[in-house]
Each structure stands twice: as structure tokens, then as C-alpha cells.
Amino acid sequence: MFREKVFAIALTCTLFLTVIAHSSLSTRPSNISKEQFSEKLPALLRLEDVGPGEEYTSQENLDKLIVLADYLKQEGIPFEVSLIPRMVVPGRNYDVAITDHTEYARKFVSTIKSLEEKGGIIGVHGYTHQSGNSNSVSGYEFYSSAKNPDVPNTYAYAKERAEKAIALFDQAGIRPAYWETPHYSASPQQLVAFQEQIGLIYENNYYYPEAWKSNSVVNQHQEYYCGLDVVPAPLGHLNSPERLAAMLAVLDDPAKNGTLASLYVHPTYEFQFIKKVQQKNGEVQYIYDENSLLHQLVKELKNRRYAFVSIYSLVGFVPAQRAENIQFDPRDEVFTGQFVTGASGKNVLIWNKKTNQWHMFRYSASWYAPRKDINAFQDLGVWLKDLSLDSGTIPIVGYFKNKDKQDLLLLNTVSGSMILAENNGNKFIPNYLKWQALNDFQNVDPVAGELNGDGLTDLLLYDRDNGRIGRAINQGGCFSDITWQSFNLLKAKSLKLLTGDFNGDGTSDILGINFDTDTWQVLVGVKAHGFSLSPKRWNSQFSISRDFKLFAADINGDNKDDVMVHSPDGLWKSFTMDGREFVSGGSFGPWGSGNTEVALADINGDQKADLIMINHSTGTYNLNSAISVLGK
């Protein structure tokens, strides 16, 4: 039975060596986000060609791989691991997969999972990284007219091998984060087969000549997916002092300013700098020479004010699965909520106005790959239909009657009508309510909020004409009289309000964005005491256009709502709440450009809001998703 070995790191200054010894210390991955390095440039490190064979067949080398990962963790460096799930050496009749029921395969997979615990993100590096009589790692797997002309130059060949690779990951309990084509070599039709599986590609971008400089989103529409994250490794392979010097020369060259400091190294190259030492007491130590090439690289990049980040924090979101050919019209609206009891994530509700139906969808995939999954979105059918609504009725999602699933409140402040469509688990049951207070206020904008921490959704009413906000407490499906508060902030002519829990205290706050002055101010919710205007400005020197779509949602899982902005050209921009103010974060896109319907919701249940978009790119309407990977 293989016992996982964990190593602690101690520095021996006199020898300028890193000594790694056995210990029982627990390890946790470093959660490093791009926002933490706002004054530094990002760098990425990929460990290349790791697989169950060749140099990794010995326990000593598996231990050395852990030593290397411990060093990176100590330095606060997240890293990627390109894993070959099946290793083949035909000349030696060697064929081992990560799912084999052998002691060695279990040891190897345990080592990979230990890398994950130390901050490693595991990607798919082909199926066998070879074909025919060639060996894994050195061999070519997919078609190349110059290097591998004997394999089929077909989509079907690539699709079969990509699906087999991801199936091995799934069976071994390893989530595939990205795809890297072996030797970056495949034909154009074969590349599509990889992109159908995973929306995050870690190799140089085939689509734009200048994209080698930085990561990019290819706003590409295919049969099974929309959009593609591509992260290059423009610095290439670290395998000699000369290559290190060449990498640094690129980063120091003003003419090549903007080059992403992304590179890869074979861990086996570093193994020569990690020495196994048997102590007199029988304890085994591994001594990692601080003059190794990787140590030198880390020091040089840090001296140049680079900060290593994960591929997740760099891209933010990964384009994922879609539902094909849904019923939709440009006049329709999209809502999200926790409509299904026991579901881990939120559901998507589409109001088809032409047919007067409310159609429910549930994201049922466990991961964003494989994304060629026609069952990723489960069609839950029509939950409400043939309900006559007055013109100007505003649908509001919230826990109005139930605390375990959300209902639908249909409110019309002009006519004074209010319908509570109560959620019974598989449909909405409409109940017509009377609320006398509503008849006195026609020109108000209603929104949902949590005002007193009782688990039921309350109402906020924005009276734009009088510059005030009203609070109506939910009393089990009916509402209290309205309590009003006036603020000068609310009198601004060009004002957008967003509600969310921006300070993480469990009650709703109100963010007011003044487009005329480019200032963001917050009315902080104080439960029974209403709202208090925060005296400070909550944004730095950035501005947004008033024709952008704005959303408040927690995109990084820190229990504080952030702001996402979507521009007409499809670019998403994040402004994350750091506890004191909104900080300009990363961009994503273009994804969802033109006349598309977009929304934000945590559809996979990981406490981070994902992106939802309905477009008409393939001749039919499709429901697309992009999963948040921030904070992973």
C-alpha cells in the first residue's frame, strides 16, 4: 500500500541549498489572484510531459516531483502540470494508464493529487503523446505533414483520442483544467476536436499572429460551443542556461514589451539538482540546489517585478457547455435563481413573451469539460404559462414564500397589481395579492433585497423623482408598509443602482453609480436601521459607459458581491470588492457581442457566479455558459 509522503522545507543558508525532509505537515494550495499583483506583471509556469512512465516509474523521482512542488508552494508560486494520461513505449511493450489497477498507477495518481493540493492545476497533454511505433513524450500524436504524416488527418481521429484522454482523467478523479496539444502539432480540423472538449487551451494561439504576447479569448462560434480561452507560452522551454538568458532578454527588450512571461520546464531536468541523502538515523532527505535553473528563473523574474499567477486567475472564466436550439425571441428575458430544491447551483428561467411561457433550465454538468455534452443543460420544461400580465410588469426573483427555493414575484407599480408565483418544486402557482401601499407610488423601481437577515426576500423601491429609497419587509408572502429614506446620492439624474451584499455581512447594500461624475457610492445596509451612506468613494479612477450592462454578484467566492460590466462589443470587465472598495480586475472576452442576452449566476454550485449568454450565431438560439475559475 502506497503511503503518501509529504515534505517540509528548510533553508540551509551556509550551503545555499534547499533541504526537504519528511514530515507530517499538512499543505494547502495558495489562492493567488491576478488582483493581488496589480502593480506587477503576471508570469506562468507549466510543468511539461508528466506521465505514468519513463522517468516517473521510480519512487525516487516521484518524491523529487513532490520536492519541486513543495519548493514552488513555499515561494507562493501556483503552477500548471501537463499530464499525459497513458504512456506507451512500443519497443519495450510498455503501456500504462493512470486508471490501471496496479500499485504503481495508484502511487502515480496519488502524487498528481498531491501536486493539486500544493497549488498545481492539471491539464490534458494528449492521450498518449505518440502514435504508431514512436514513444510517449518524444513522439507526435496528431497529424503533421512534416513530422507525423502517417496518422489520419481527420477530425474523427482527434476526437476519439481527446475523448479517451478526458475519460481517463474522469475515471482517475482528476479534473482536466486545460488542453495542450503534444508538440503544439495538429491539423486545423483536429484542433476543433480538442476545443470541443475544453474551452481553455494552453498553447500558442493559432488564430491571431499577435496573440502570442498575452492570453486572449477567441469569440468563435462552433456547433457545440461559443468562445475559447487561449493562453500561450511565448518564452518557450527552460532547459539550459542559454535558454534562461534568452528568455530574460525577451522580457528586457522594450521592442517586445507586453510579452506574457509564460514558459514550461520538464521537471526531470530539475531532478539532477535534487539529491537524495540517507541520514544516519535512517531518515531520507532531499536536498534541492538553490543554483538550479528553476531557482535562478524565479529569482530573476521576481527581481523584474513579475508575480507568478495561476492560469485560472489569468483567464477568470472558461467558456463551457451550451444548450442548443432553445426557444427564444429577442424580446424575451432571462432570469436566474435557486428554483430547484437540493440543486447545487442556480437555474436559468426564460420568459418567452410571445408564447407567454416561463421555461426552466438546469446546468447539470459536474465540470466545464467536456463541453461537447448535449446533456449539460437539463430542460425542466415550462413552469408557468398563459398568465395575463399588465404592460410594465416587472418580474422579481426571491425567497418570498419559501426559504429553500426561490419564487417569482410579478409586480406592476403603475397598475398596482402584484402576483406571487409560488414555487412548488416543479412549477409556479400564481397567487393574486393586494398591497395597499403600492397604490400610492406609481413611479418607483422595485428590486429584491435581504434587509433583516431572516432568510426571506424583502423589497426595495427606488423613488427617482424624490431621491429616496423605500424598504418593505417580507412578512411571509405579504409586505409591510414602506419606510422611506432620502439621500442626495439618489437625486442624481444619471444614476444606476445595483443591490448586493458588498461587505459580506448578510444584508443587502445599494451601490449607486453616477455616470456624470464617474463616482461609485454605497448605501450600507444596517438591518433594522435601514441604510447608511458610506462617506468614501468606493471606486478608483475608472469609468464605464451608461450603455453597458451591469451586474452585482460574487465572482471569486469570498462572500462579497463584485461588479461585472458587459459592453456591447462583448467585453466583460470585473470590479472586485476587496473589503474597502471596488478594484479594477481582469477582462474577459469578447464573449457575447452584439444583440445577445446575458446574465450572471452560480450555475454549478461552487459559490462563484458564472456567465450566461443567449446568442443566435448558428441560425438557432443557444444558451451558453462560461464558468468562473477565479479564486481556485
Side-chain angles (χ1 to χ4, degrees):
M1 185 71 179
F2 175 68
R3 181 173 63 86
E4 182 178 340
K5 297 177 180 177
V6 184
F7 301 85
I9 298 180
L11 296 180
T12 307
C13 298
T14 55
L15 298 177
F16 298 99
L17 300 174
T18 303
V19 180
I20 293 98
H22 289 285
S23 84
S24 59
L25 293 177
S26 62
T27 59
R28 294 181 62 188
S30 301
N31 290 323
I32 300 176
S33 66
K34 187 177 180 181
E35 289 77 11
Q36 290 176 261
F37 304 102
S38 57
E39 297 180 357
K40 297 184 179 181
L41 295 171
L44 283 87
L45 175 66
R46 189 176 74 215
L47 306 184
E48 193 82 344
D49 290 334
V50 178
E54 296 294 346
E55 291 94 338
Y56 296 101
T57 54
S58 72
Q59 183 61 55
E60 180 175 330
N61 278 357
L62 291 180
D63 289 347
K64 287 183 176 182
L65 188 57
I66 295 293
V67 169
L68 193 156
D70 274 331
Y71 160 69
L72 295 175
K73 181 178 184 296
Q74 182 201 36
E75 292 292 323
I77 298 175
F79 56 95
E80 282 65 50
V81 181
S82 286
L83 173 63
I84 306 167
R86 179 183 170 195
M87 296 282 279
V88 177
V89 183
R92 292 196 288 110
N93 200 30
Y94 185 92
D95 189 339
V96 175
I98 57 177
T99 53
D100 287 356
H101 299 292
T102 64
E103 182 182 1
Y104 168 69
R106 288 191 291 270
K107 287 180 181 179
F108 180 83
V109 171
S110 179
T111 301
I112 295 300
K113 292 184 177 180
S114 182
L115 297 185
E116 287 186 295
E117 294 171 0
K118 298 173 189 297
I121 295 173
I122 316 300
V124 186
H125 195 25
Y127 175 47
T128 62
H129 202 312
Q130 60 81 233
S131 60
N133 292 320
S134 64
N135 297 336
S136 290
V137 178
S138 61
Y140 284 73
E141 184 167 1
F142 300 101
Y143 180 80
S144 166
S145 59
K147 301 289 187 178
N148 203 25
D150 295 330
V151 301
N153 180 17
T154 63
Y155 160 85
Y157 171 82
K159 172 179 175 290
E160 179 185 15
R161 297 183 77 85
E163 288 178 344
K164 286 182 176 179
I166 290 182
L168 290 180
F169 268 66
D170 183 58
Q171 294 166 30
I174 302 170
R175 285 185 164 177
Y178 61 87
W179 173 275
E180 183 200 349
T181 307
H183 296 308
Y184 299 170
S185 179
S187 65
Q189 59 264 37
Q190 291 180 331
L191 294 176
V192 173
F194 313 145
Q195 296 155 9
E196 285 178 351
Q197 299 297 321
I198 305 180
L200 177 55
I201 306 296
Y202 194 178
E203 58 191 63
N204 295 339
N205 195 324
Y206 300 93
Y207 299 98
Y208 303 113
E210 291 297 307
W212 59 272
K213 289 184 177 180
S214 61
N215 62 297
S216 57
V217 175
V218 181
N219 196 24
Q220 186 184 55
H221 301 279
Q222 295 287 353
E223 182 180 359
Y224 295 102
Y225 67 86
C226 173
L228 186 71
D229 267 325
V230 182
V231 177
L235 294 185
H237 186 191
L238 178 66
N239 61 354
S240 69
E242 292 75 20
R243 282 296 307 145
L244 174 59
M247 290 178 180
L248 298 177
V250 169
L251 298 179
D252 293 340
D253 186 351
K256 297 180 180 179
N257 183 43
T259 300
L260 180 66
S262 175
L263 66 139
Y264 62 91
V265 61
H266 288 85
T268 51
Y269 180 87
E270 284 291 295
F271 288 175
Q272 63 184 304
F273 300 102
I274 303 173
K275 304 301 182 184
K276 181 179 180 180
V277 178
Q278 187 81 34
Q279 302 297 317
K280 291 182 179 180
N281 61 1
E283 184 181 71
V284 173
Q285 287 187 329
Y286 285 91
I287 302 175
Y288 195 171
D289 189 342
E290 286 191 352
N291 291 312
S292 81
L293 210 55
L294 186 56
H295 279 76
Q296 293 180 52
L297 169 81
V298 170
K299 292 174 185 176
E300 292 289 349
L301 289 189
K302 287 187 175 182
N303 288 340
R304 287 166 171 77
R305 298 193 60 76
Y306 281 87
F308 284 92
V309 300
S310 74
I311 194 171
Y312 284 153
S313 63
L314 190 72
V315 301
F317 296 86
V318 176
Q321 297 90 347
R322 76 172 359 159
E324 294 281 327
N325 194 21
I326 65 170
Q327 182 176 330
F328 194 79
D329 183 87
R331 297 172 298 172
D332 294 348
E333 295 184 43
V334 178
F335 303 88
T336 61
Q338 196 77 43
F339 298 117
V340 178
T341 304
S344 58
K346 293 186 177 181
N347 315 112
V348 179
L349 179 65
I350 298 177
W351 180 14
N352 299 127
K353 296 182 179 180
K354 187 175 182 179
T355 61
N356 197 13
Q357 294 181 342
W358 300 74
H359 208 121
M360 188 75 72
F361 293 88
R362 175 184 179 182
Y363 182 80
S364 56
S366 60
W367 188 239
Y368 60 72
R371 60 177 178 168
K372 188 179 179 181
D373 180 0
I374 61 174
N375 298 314
F377 279 94
Q378 182 182 359
D379 187 343
L380 300 182
V382 175
W383 279 41
L384 182 64
K385 63 180 180 179
D386 301 330
L387 181 65
S388 297
L389 298 174
D390 295 333
S391 176
T393 296
I394 299 174
I396 304 173
V397 173
Y399 296 98
F400 294 111
K401 191 72 172 179
N402 303 285
K403 292 186 179 182
D404 61 340
K405 52 186 179 293
Q406 290 184 297
D407 310 297
L408 189 63
L409 184 67
L410 303 165
L411 188 62
N412 193 306
T413 59
V414 176
S415 67
S417 68
M418 183 164 65
I419 302 173
L420 176 58
E422 187 176 345
N423 184 349
N424 75 347
N426 58 20
K427 62 181 178 180
F428 294 115
I429 308 298
N431 297 292
Y432 294 82
L433 305 178
K434 291 184 178 181
W435 187 26
Q436 184 61 38
L438 193 62
N439 296 329
D440 300 328
F441 307 101
Q442 293 189 348
N443 191 25
V444 295
D445 299 324
V447 292
E450 171 57 82
L451 302 179
N452 57 2
D454 66 351
L456 290 175
T457 302
D458 309 298
L459 283 180
L460 293 168
L461 298 109
Y462 174 34
D463 182 357
R464 188 181 298 271
D465 293 339
N466 296 294
R468 58 181 183 169
I469 196 78
R471 301 165 64 248
I473 303 301
N474 187 344
Q475 298 175 332
C478 59
F479 296 91
S480 69
D481 290 337
I482 304 172
T483 302
W484 294 96
Q485 286 181 276
S486 297
F487 296 94
N488 288 332
L489 161 69
L490 301 177
K491 297 178 181 179
K493 293 182 179 180
S494 183
L495 186 69
K496 171 70 175 180
L497 295 186
L498 290 178
T499 60
D501 184 7
F502 300 116
N503 58 6
D505 67 352
T507 57
S508 294
D509 311 301
I510 300 174
L511 170 63
I513 300 177
N514 189 325
F515 293 106
D516 291 332
T517 61
D518 288 333
T519 55
W520 296 23
Q521 288 183 277
V522 172
L523 297 175
V524 180
V526 197
K527 290 190 177 179
H529 302 289
F531 293 96
S532 174
L533 177 62
S534 175
K536 65 180 181 179
R537 172 176 173 155
W538 284 57
N539 66 316
S540 301
Q541 296 300 318
F542 52 77
S543 62
I544 56 177
S545 174
R546 65 189 67 194
D547 63 340
F548 289 3
K549 296 178 181 178
L550 285 78
F551 304 89
D554 181 6
I555 62 173
N556 55 10
D558 65 354
N559 296 317
K560 293 185 286 290
D561 283 338
D562 312 293
V563 174
M564 285 292 290
V565 178
H566 182 251
S567 66
D569 61 1
L571 187 66
W572 293 82
K573 176 70 176 176
S574 66
F575 299 91
T576 55
M577 168 51 62
D578 69 354
R580 301 179 304 276
E581 64 178 356
F582 293 98
V583 178
S584 179
S587 298
F588 173 76
W591 191 79
S593 56
N595 188 23
T596 57
E597 186 73 18
V598 294
L600 257 75
D602 173 21
I603 61 174
N604 63 351
D606 64 355
Q607 311 307 312
K608 294 187 284 290
D610 311 299
L611 307 183
I612 299 164
M613 180 260 292
I614 295 177
N615 70 344
H616 191 255
S617 59
T618 61
T620 60
Y621 282 99
N622 306 307
L623 173 60
N624 303 275
S625 64
I627 301 300
S628 172
V629 290
L630 291 166
K632 285 187 178 292

